[in-house]
Amino acid sequence: MDVLSDANRLAREGRDIIHMELGEPGAPVPAAVRAAAEAALARGRVGYTEALGIPELRARIARLYADRYGVEVPANRIAVTGGSSGAFNLAFLAMFDVGDRVGLPTPGYPAYRNILTALGLEVVEIPTTAEARWQASAAAIEKVHAERPLAGIIVASPNNPSGTMMTRDGLKSLVAACADMKIALVMDEIYHGLVYDGDEVTALEFSGDAVVVNSFSKYFCMTGWRIGWMVLPEHLVRPVERIAQNLFISPSELSQRAALGAFEAKEELETVKAGYAASRRLLLERMPKIGLDRFLPVDGAFYLYADVSRYTNDSLDFCRRMLHEAGVAATPGLDFDTSRGSSYVRFSFAGRTEAVAEACERLGGWLG
């Protein structure tokens, strides 16, 4: 966000800045979403709803799991939330007690660490490697748990910042290991729908005990509507409902009504995804030619996590210079990995393909 603030300041001063720092779709909200919101507003009343969301939306989300994965999920296990951020807060509050140790594979989304810390939980970083495709293995979790027990672990597939996914077998073994060790699993699946290579597998295929978080922000292009959901095991439904009632009363009714329209926008959303795929192909082809050749193929999401150690050991300074000298804004790896992130930069390709191509041209000239 500091990079964004600096980039916006330069833009106000007249600089032409290409934004590759934010994980936000550049596409507009789908027409069906806008139409659903307009219809809700036309009815003249937007009010409180049930704490876990309106029944229609919970049922439609449950149907998504049947259609996309062939997994049956009862609607009463769906909790609609104020974005995935609201889901993580509710899940952590319901699942853990102050002082509990929660594993966090790194590199990973920095808000996990910050939310856990704010709630008085102990974050246990579990370093992953490029060789392991930046994903935690069951063996790595078992090793950390043996040293001192973990209460839970948070895993993302596709991963932010790398875009890499767990294989079906890898996810199955991780879910089984967590069950054996009685480690609560929170699975971040917010980039599902945006998968280019490999199988899109939900943890719910292997367990009804995992808490699965998803969102309308990424695939459905609804970031500003702040609407997400999670699938809960039966024993957590009522605790989450009680916490949600007290903290939030309910998710926004307008956003929930709009989200119902998102399921009718598949053609438009697949066109947006095709644009990401084109940008991905361009980056995979062009980045090695300009000297940024150390990264993994991007399975999903819209990020490329590049090793910049041949140019710097300070990714924050690298990103500042890249912004000011080349007009390209990207995110330093320190956001995602406090111990090794000084050698990495995350490039988002959620914007227009033409902007991604121009960024490659600028970076090629800048890196020499």
Side-chain angles (χ1 to χ4, degrees), residues 253-265:
E253 183 185 11
L254 180 61
S255 294
Q256 291 184 73
R257 301 291 176 188
L260 281 167
F263 296 101
E264 311 305 319

Side-chain angles (χ1 to χ4, degrees), residues 80-161:
V80 181
T81 61
S84 62
S85 299
F88 287 120
N89 277 279
L90 288 168
F92 298 162
L93 284 165
M95 298 169 73
F96 306 125
D97 293 321
V98 171
D100 278 352
R101 288 162 50 84
V102 181
L104 187 62
T106 57
Y109 180 50
Y112 303 146
R113 180 190 306 109
N114 297 336
I115 295 170
L116 290 167
T117 301
L119 295 178
L121 302 167
E122 181 181 347
V123 176
V124 182
E125 295 194 355
I126 304 174
T128 63
T129 64
E131 292 73 22
R133 299 177 59 77
W134 301 122
Q135 290 288 353
S137 66
I141 295 167
E142 288 168 355
K143 180 180 178 182
V144 172
H145 185 68
E147 294 169 356
R148 192 175 161 203
L150 296 171
I153 186 168
I154 306 161
V155 176
S157 179
N159 174 269
N160 175 12

